[in-house]
Amino acid sequence: MIVTVTMNPAIDKTVEIDTLLPGGLNRIQRVEYDAGGKGINVSKTICELGGESIATGFLGGNAGRTIARVLEEKNIRNDFLWVEGETRTNTKVFEKSGAVTELNEPGPAIGVAQAEALLRKLEGYADSQTLFVLAGSVPKGVDSRIYARIIRMAHEKGAKVLLDADGELFRNGLEAVPDIIKPNRAELEEYAGIDGQASDEELRNLAQGLMAKGIGTVMVSMGKRGAMMVRPDYAETCPALPVKAHSTVGAGDAMVAALAYAWDQKLGNEETMRLCMAVSAGAVTTVGTKPPSRELVDSFLASIPVQAAGKPGSETKD
């Protein structure tokens, strides 16, 4: 069972324009609305892949009801805590040049009692067959050690955790030793205090250092350079697929969904790597934060040579 946790969900509003004119009139050519938030995006993608998940976290107001309705229409199970205030709306402005301007609202503040109630709810789902996906930011009022607390609780119950966060949430979460992590290159560099772009060898060394602490899978997304997956018996880099990108927004969430789905389906190293690359490639071709279809993912899977994902024990050169 996969349980996605989105503490700060949102309605994702995507608008497309020619060129953003600050302080002037901007005519919108296209608008898309999606139920969003990183964990919710993960649940939507898992659904498209043919898997199942339970989406939980905090929702409030009309925006929250809209998100719940969208998930129900897609037959995605959800079990949110309802709070005072209005779930946020995040606006992403896309220019024809490819530039993206993001305007993210703060969302409702969450009290200590509400955070504790969510922890109790998650504990009810925790057992040896559960993977929790902890993804994205947390709202005002929630302690930055919340993910670490969830990880420890999950492990006490025999459950597994996939962590996708940044900054303090990531750093604190690592102290509790999640089972799977999916940082992007910049997040891993920030964590390690690297000033500048790390080489693939440096990233691999960082990933192996995290594994030495007990983390089982480190997947590093590297944008146009592809991704690197490091496990005790596997360390490979796979190049990004040459697709025509509409937007890179949501590609990281798609990769997290692929990792979770692969865990649920008990896929091997190479199958997992290939699925991650195909799903994230599919995500960049969609509008807004919509997930790629299974049909599209399968078409990309067919185009990834087996050797592109490498073989256990081999080395990848820069």
Side-chain angles (χ1 to χ4, degrees):
M1 175 174 62
I2 302 170
V3 180
T4 64
V5 183
T6 311
M7 295 199 186
N8 211 7
I11 297 289
D12 285 334
K13 180 180 179 181
T14 303
V15 302
E16 296 183 6
I17 61 175
D18 281 328
T19 304
L20 181 64
L21 180 61
L25 175 64
N26 292 273
R27 296 193 183 280
I28 295 172
Q29 298 171 343
R30 181 174 181 174
V31 181
E32 293 283 341
Y33 292 90
D34 297 298
K38 293 182 74 65
I40 289 173
N41 290 340
V42 170
S43 277
K44 292 190 301 182
T45 304
I46 289 171
C47 180
E48 285 292 334
L49 291 174
E52 296 182 355
S53 67
I54 301 171
T56 188
F58 301 111
L59 287 179
N62 290 327
R65 285 187 284 274
T66 297
I67 290 174
R69 184 174 66 251
V70 168
L71 294 177
E72 287 161 6
E73 289 171 352
K74 294 179 179 293
N75 294 317
I76 297 172
R77 292 175 60 190
N78 62 92
D79 185 16
F80 286 87
L81 277 174
W82 289 88
V83 299
E84 296 282 336
E86 189 75 23
T87 290
R88 61 190 182 148
T89 295
N90 290 343
T91 304
K92 297 168 175 57
V93 183
F94 286 85
E95 302 176 57
K96 280 190 173 179
S97 66
V100 182
T101 300
E102 299 192 52
L103 304 172
N104 290 355
E105 297 178 7
I110 302 299
V112 173
Q114 293 164 320
E116 294 299 322
L118 180 61
L119 280 167
R120 290 192 297 271
K121 182 184 288 290
L122 297 179
E123 188 173 6
Y125 285 113
D127 61 32
S128 61
Q129 303 302 310
T130 303
L131 174 69
F132 290 104
V133 177
L134 308 180
S137 64
V138 298
K140 184 179 179 180
V142 175
D143 192 279
S144 65
R145 292 182 292 273
I146 187 70
Y147 284 165
R149 289 187 62 192
I150 295 172
I151 293 166
R152 293 188 178 100
M153 175 278 294
H155 286 168
E156 287 173 4
K157 298 287 185 177
K160 305 294 186 183
V161 180
L162 192 168
L163 177 66
D164 180 25
D166 61 8
E168 266 194 293
L169 286 168
F170 181 64
R171 189 176 299 277
N172 292 338
L174 290 183
E175 292 178 4
V177 193
D179 303 275
I180 307 169
I181 61 173
K182 205 285 311 159
N184 61 34
R185 173 189 288 274
E187 289 163 352
L188 196 54
E189 289 167 345
E190 179 188 5
Y191 169 76
I194 295 176
D195 186 14
Q197 192 171 86
S199 68
D200 284 6
E201 183 179 0
E202 288 175 309
L203 291 175
R204 190 179 302 113
N205 289 338
L206 286 171
Q208 289 171 336
L210 291 170
M211 279 199 309
K213 299 177 183 293
I215 297 170
T217 299
V218 181
M219 174 67 84
V220 186
S221 55
M222 304 185 296
K224 293 181 179 179
R225 293 185 64 179
M228 176 186 297
M229 188 170 80
V230 181
R231 286 175 167 172
D233 59 343
Y234 190 85
E236 292 299 337
T237 299
C238 188
L241 273 67
V243 299
K244 184 177 180 179
H246 185 276
S247 163
T248 59
V249 174
D253 300 340
M255 187 170 284
V256 171
L259 280 169
Y261 179 82
W263 174 90
D264 189 57
Q265 299 295 308
K266 299 179 173 57
L267 301 186
N269 292 333
E270 196 166 282
E271 290 177 293
T272 298
M273 186 66 158
R274 292 178 61 175
L275 183 67
C276 286
M277 300 312 299
V279 176
S280 58
V284 304
T285 69
T286 66
V287 177
T289 54
K290 289 179 172 58
S293 67
R294 180 72 211 213
E295 181 181 15
L296 180 61
V297 170
D298 287 342
S299 71
F300 286 145
L301 276 172
S303 69
I304 303 175
V306 173
Q307 63 269 27
K311 295 182 180 179
S314 66
E315 290 186 354
T316 302
K317 301 296 184 183
D318 290 339

